[in-house]
Amino acid sequence: MRAISFELSGKTAFFKKPDVNSFAYFTYNNIHKPALLGLFGAIIGLGGYTKLHDQNRGLKSGKLGYNDGYPEYYEKLKNFQISIVPLAKNGYFSKKIQTFNNSVGYASFEQGGNLVVREQWLENPKWQILVLENESKEFTKLKEYLLSKKTVYIPYLGKNDHPANIDVVKEIALDEELCLDAGLYIDSLFIKNGNIDGYEREGELPFVFTETSPVTLQKDLHFYEYETLCFTNCELEVEPRNSFSNGKKNYVFI
């Protein structure tokens, strides 16, 4: 088995949580799979929500020609299997609230028409991303574009205020036999299933970072569907599903 691996980073990032607070909009700590699929769609030129909206403009649900499915990028990439490795101490990125004004005429009905927006941004986020090889033409095109540093649309980290950097692109070989020299340790995010009761890696202080994060989109309304993702240096009792190793590190693909 093979995968394409690259480092994804930016000066800032914002992956908006849909549960809006009256004071500020908050972000997920890590880029999630639906956001990554959108980034891949931008790289290889697949249509998104704007194209889907334009296609359905003036049509009613159930009528001839109405597309009640996913946007093009998600429909074609939803079966991609992806591993996400936070490149930060204990998997946690610094965050800061940014405040700015939206003064376009339709932004707010308040006096003066000015809307004060507060967003929580990630600072200097960086991940290693691995995409498991498959036989689709979309994967072949994505691999070609990543290796040749090409993109159709500009990739960004959540919003177009946050351009993405893609570096250290390479193909790696993976094995289904995990590296167990020091015990069962996982070097990527994985879906938490059961207790984490093992010892931390030698010479390290133990940490367990968990976050409820989107992993799929619900088909009819395109709402996020969630799992609890975990990142830890503690030994696991049970090997997570869909685990692979490159001989030194163990990765779980979601």
Side-chain angles (χ1 to χ4, degrees), residues 40 59 65 102 135 161:
F40 296 161
L59 300 175
N102 187 344
E135 297 180 352
D161 301 302

Side-chain angles (χ1 to χ4, degrees), residues 148-160:
S148 59
K149 302 184 183 301
K150 295 192 299 184
T151 180
V152 176
Y153 305 117
I154 297 173
Y156 52 81
L157 299 176
K159 288 176 62 180
N160 56 12

Side-chain angles (χ1 to χ4, degrees), residues 20 56 68 79 89 137 155 175 199 223 241:
V20 177
N56 290 334
D68 59 356
N79 293 323
K89 183 178 180 181
K137 62 181 181 181
D175 198 311
Y199 293 103
F223 292 159
R241 295 178 56 189

